[in-house]
Amino acid sequence: MRCFEAEGVRLVNTSDTANKRPPAMLASAFNLLLLSLGLWVLGWWPAGWLNPQLGVRWMTTALLIVAIPGFVNLTLCGLPMLRDPLKSMLVQMGLRVSVLLVAVLAVKFRQPDVGIQLFYGWLMGFYLVSLAWESWDFSRRIRRTRN
């Protein structure tokens, strides 16, 4: 539906379907999915070149360890108790870092021969790119709500 005038009064439909824009969380999730797929595509050849047998597998594992908490963070942003930007940021950082720590410890204890070239380098790179994107997206949403 469009905005319309009724006897000089402008009535505006504010639903997300009215202005043909997806909800902010859905758009952010889609952008994170595109970022993750783009990182995977960019890393596919170097991972296979560095280690032909296990390179792509460990690179994909590293990407999933970073991307899944990102999607969980996006769903948590919609909760009413996390409307405060500071609370939201602290919960998101805690979730992201704790998942990363548990994953690193699990890999270190189960596969001690996995090194920086096979797994940890990919994990650090994906984490930094994802964190930069999430911080940018978070600040963009805060600016949008203040305007």
Side-chain angles (χ1 to χ4, degrees), residues 82-99:
L82 294 178
R83 294 285 183 211
D84 180 33
L86 180 62
K87 284 182 192 177
S88 179
M89 185 179 69
L90 290 174
V91 168
Q92 288 177 1
M93 282 181 10
L95 176 69
R96 186 174 280 284
V97 170
S98 60
V99 168

Side-chain angles (χ1 to χ4, degrees), residues 101-112:
L101 178 65
V102 168
V104 165
L105 290 174
V107 169
K108 187 68 177 169
F109 287 122
R110 291 182 183 219
Q111 301 285 333

Side-chain angles (χ1 to χ4, degrees), residues 49-69:
W49 180 72
L50 290 170
N51 189 325
Q53 289 84 23
L54 300 172
V56 175
R57 177 180 152 221
W58 281 108
M59 186 258 313
T60 304
T61 303
L63 183 62
L64 289 174
I65 289 170
V66 171
I68 291 173

Side-chain angles (χ1 to χ4, degrees), residues 67-85:
I68 291 173
F71 286 113
V72 172
N73 281 342
L74 287 173
T75 59
L76 290 178
C77 283
L79 294 177
M81 63 189 254
L82 294 178
R83 294 285 183 211
D84 180 33

